Amino acid sequence: MKQWNEFSGMSKKLDHFFDNKATDEFISVIQTRENLHTRNSVYVKSRASWGINAGTWMHPFLFIDFAMWLNPEFKYEVIKFVYDELIKYRNEAGDAYREMAASIRTIVPKKELPVKISHVAKAINHIVCNSHETEIRNKLADESKVKELAQIEKDVAMLINGKFIKSFDSLINHFQELWREKYVPKELA
């Protein structure tokens, strides 16, 4: 804080950050989501005003929030990173999904398409997340999972368009093989 104020010519105070309602709410979220039993597990403000014991310790998530509050340039970079990396892959997965669905239309009768697409989405959730539930992609999808999801969707479209997968049963067999490769120990395969 002292270094930032000297560098920026500002006079922000740590108490302003902790008195902020949004900070208080975020501390509660961290405490709940990280299964921490006390607020002291999220931050500790020393009573010492100088010396080796002076200062404040923050959970890394709270520290990032603090740094974004302190420095708008850093906040911009964090938001840009999240947008560029995670949202970019979510958008890519959405585009790949449309391409995959168009390819599946070529191997599935029109009247069966909604049910079959639903089966495909569930199968991909099992491959990427090793389970399926409503909204699982929003709950568990980090950058690597969203990238994997997009890649599977692109690969399925390519395999169908290239006539390597010619039926829905073949597609399901492909998904089963992907799941086995990822989750079944080689000794049991």
Side-chain angles (χ1 to χ4, degrees), residues 57-124:
W57 174 89
M58 294 181 199
H59 185 281
F61 295 171
L62 184 62
F63 180 76
I64 292 169
D65 186 54
F66 170 70
M68 290 191 307
W69 173 80
L70 193 62
N71 183 341
E73 293 285 331
F74 178 71
K75 182 176 185 174
Y76 172 84
E77 292 300 325
V78 169
I79 291 170
K80 186 174 183 337
F81 172 79
V82 170
Y83 177 81
D84 287 350
E85 299 305 317
L86 186 56
I87 295 175
K88 175 178 85 176
Y89 293 122
R90 284 183 184 263
N91 289 339
E92 189 177 306
D95 293 342
Y97 177 83
R98 285 188 288 283
E99 183 182 339
M100 178 189 70
S103 298
I104 291 171
R105 280 188 203 102
T106 66
I107 62 170
V108 171
K110 187 176 182 176
K111 65 180 182 178
E112 297 177 20
L113 192 60
V115 171
K116 300 292 187 182
I117 291 288
S118 175
H119 288 306
V120 166
K122 290 175 185 175
I124 293 173

Side-chain angles (χ1 to χ4, degrees), residues 43-181:
Y43 75 94
V44 177
K45 288 172 58 175
S46 171
R47 295 186 193 276
S49 58
W50 61 274
I52 191 167
N53 294 322
T56 300
W57 174 89
M58 294 181 199
H59 185 281
F61 295 171
L62 184 62
F63 180 76
I64 292 169
D65 186 54
F66 170 70
M68 290 191 307
W69 173 80
L70 193 62
N71 183 341
E73 293 285 331
F74 178 71
K75 182 176 185 174
Y76 172 84
E77 292 300 325
V78 169
I79 291 170
K80 186 174 183 337
F81 172 79
V82 170
Y83 177 81
D84 287 350
E85 299 305 317
L86 186 56
I87 295 175
K88 175 178 85 176
Y89 293 122
R90 284 183 184 263
N91 289 339
E92 189 177 306
D95 293 342
Y97 177 83
R98 285 188 288 283
E99 183 182 339
M100 178 189 70
S103 298
I104 291 171
R105 280 188 203 102
T106 66
I107 62 170
V108 171
K110 187 176 182 176
K111 65 180 182 178
E112 297 177 20
L113 192 60
V115 171
K116 300 292 187 182
I117 291 288
S118 175
H119 288 306
V120 166
K122 290 175 185 175
I124 293 173
N125 284 347
H126 280 285
I127 295 165
V128 173
C129 302
N130 199 24
S131 76
H132 171 75
E133 63 182 77
T134 304
E135 298 292 321
I136 194 168
R137 295 176 188 185
N138 291 332
K139 293 176 186 173
L140 299 179
D142 59 19
E143 182 183 329
S144 66
K145 284 183 173 40
V146 176
K147 283 171 76 171
E148 181 183 8
L149 171 72
Q151 190 60 54
I152 290 170
E153 292 169 343
K154 288 177 189 176
D155 291 349
V156 165
M158 181 198 66
L159 291 168
I160 292 172
N161 295 339
K163 307 292 187 220
F164 295 99
I165 293 179
K166 298 178 184 178
S167 70
F168 188 75
D169 288 341
S170 296
L171 178 57
I172 294 301
N173 289 338
H174 174 69
F175 288 146
Q176 290 170 340
E177 184 57 34
L178 289 177
W179 184 87
R180 275 193 295 277
E181 286 174 7

